[in-house]
Amino acid sequence: MSPVAETSSKASADAKIRNVVENLAKINQRLGEADPREILEWAIDNLPGLYQTTAFGLTGCVTLDLISRISSDRAAKSGEAPKHLVPLIFIDTLYHFPQTIDLANQAAKHYGAPMHVYRPPGTSTVNEFEAKWGTSFWEKDEETYDYLVKVEPARRAYEELGVRAVFTGRRRSQGADRASLNAVEVDETGLIKINPLMNWSFAQVDEYVKANGVPYNELLDMGYKSVGDWHSTALPGSGDAGERSGRWKDKAGKTECGLHKDYFKFKLVAEKKLREAELARKDEAKDKVEQAQDGQQPTQQDVAPVAA
């Protein structure tokens, strides 16, 4: 694309986004009781730079299936070859269950959906992550962990891919902060978030999956209700009735991982802690050098990874 065409394309995209932001209340009034397909089609028609961010929870899988059907219907109507209209972004935290990774690859292939995978900065394996930040980092500083494995990779994906709007898998029936969702939201960074299945209950999502043969995480058949990282996901107890029961079970009051919190505040706190951790590591390295020069042997505690 020539510089002139690129500038024109960006100006057109900016104008579309600005129009949505300026008319947000009217749009949400119109889509307030809309079914998922209507919300999806509105977004496809009106939002440039549109992607689906998903960890392949049940709602995300239904959204993916519906987008595939819309894509096929539109291709058939125009006489063109089918093309999945909304690319995927999958944040691989490195601590997903193997079943989740398998599902991500299976679903992307099944629907012919382009999938962009992002991981924590500077790491692509658990060993690399733990060499840098130590083992069980989520136990030492869970919020900074969330920033490293989810928030930063997501923001990097949005910037590198030119993302202006994303589909999410949030629904009102999930409760907590999600109970008052609108169809279309604009976050503090200007990113537009669309919640196409906001009006559906878990029963409706589950019914759609079964009726349409949608690929889903096999852990749900084992009793799990909401699947995240393996260390923050547990089987619900007998008294756990909520749709997200089993997530952060030992973290009283936690309902979100950071992706739907104020990005700038979250980043500010996390980066401060990361700087402090880096200084601590440098001090530790300096102490080791001094000990070696003095003929001292570092203890096991001295060589343990330092986390934020």
Side-chain angles (χ1 to χ4, degrees), residues 56-79:
F56 294 92
L58 207 58
T59 308
C61 292
V62 170
T63 299
L64 177 56
D65 187 84
L66 286 166
I67 293 171
S68 177
R69 292 173 186 273
I70 292 169
S71 302
S72 296
D73 291 347
R74 292 191 174 194
K77 188 174 181 179
S78 65

Side-chain angles (χ1 to χ4, degrees), residues 41-242:
E41 295 207 82
W42 174 87
I44 291 169
D45 290 335
N46 291 280
L47 294 172
L50 178 62
Y51 286 73
Q52 180 186 356
T53 53
T54 182
F56 294 92
L58 207 58
T59 308
C61 292
V62 170
T63 299
L64 177 56
D65 187 84
L66 286 166
I67 293 171
S68 177
R69 292 173 186 273
I70 292 169
S71 302
S72 296
D73 291 347
R74 292 191 174 194
K77 188 174 181 179
S78 65
E80 299 176 353
K83 176 185 177 183
H84 194 82
L85 293 173
V86 182
L88 303 172
I89 296 173
F90 175 56
I91 306 301
D92 179 3
T93 66
L94 307 178
Y95 290 93
H96 282 301
F97 286 94
Q99 292 90 335
T100 303
I101 300 296
D102 290 345
L103 173 62
N105 293 321
Q106 174 197 353
K109 182 178 179 180
H110 176 78
Y111 291 108
M115 183 169 71
H116 304 272
V117 180
Y118 279 77
R119 299 182 176 88
T123 58
S124 58
T125 66
V126 169
N127 286 342
E128 289 176 354
F129 185 86
E130 294 186 352
K132 189 171 185 178
W133 302 109
T135 58
S136 303
F137 183 67
W138 57 88
E139 293 180 355
K140 303 176 180 73
D141 188 339
E142 190 172 17
E143 287 209 340
T144 306
Y145 169 82
D146 284 344
Y147 176 79
L148 284 171
V149 305
K150 299 172 187 176
V151 177
E152 191 282 339
R155 178 51 46 184
R156 183 161 24 99
Y158 299 159
E159 292 176 354
E160 291 181 1
L161 299 172
V163 178
R164 306 296 297 272
V166 295
F167 287 123
T168 86
R170 296 177 297 164
R171 291 179 289 104
R172 289 172 176 169
S173 67
Q174 291 170 323
D177 294 341
R178 305 184 177 195
S180 57
L181 284 174
N182 284 314
V184 184
E185 302 172 320
V186 183
D187 76 7
E188 63 283 349
T189 71
L191 180 72
I192 295 177
K193 296 180 178 180
I194 308 97
N195 308 304
L197 271 71
M198 66 170 188
N199 289 321
W200 272 19
S201 65
F202 176 82
Q204 287 174 292
V205 174
D206 188 52
E207 181 182 357
Y208 182 96
V209 168
K210 292 174 180 175
N212 294 281
V214 176
Y216 65 93
N217 199 319
E218 63 184 53
L219 291 172
L220 299 178
D221 291 333
M222 302 178 192
Y224 291 89
K225 288 190 175 182
S226 177
V227 179
D229 288 345
W230 60 259
H231 55 75
S232 61
T233 303
L235 283 167
S238 58
D240 295 331

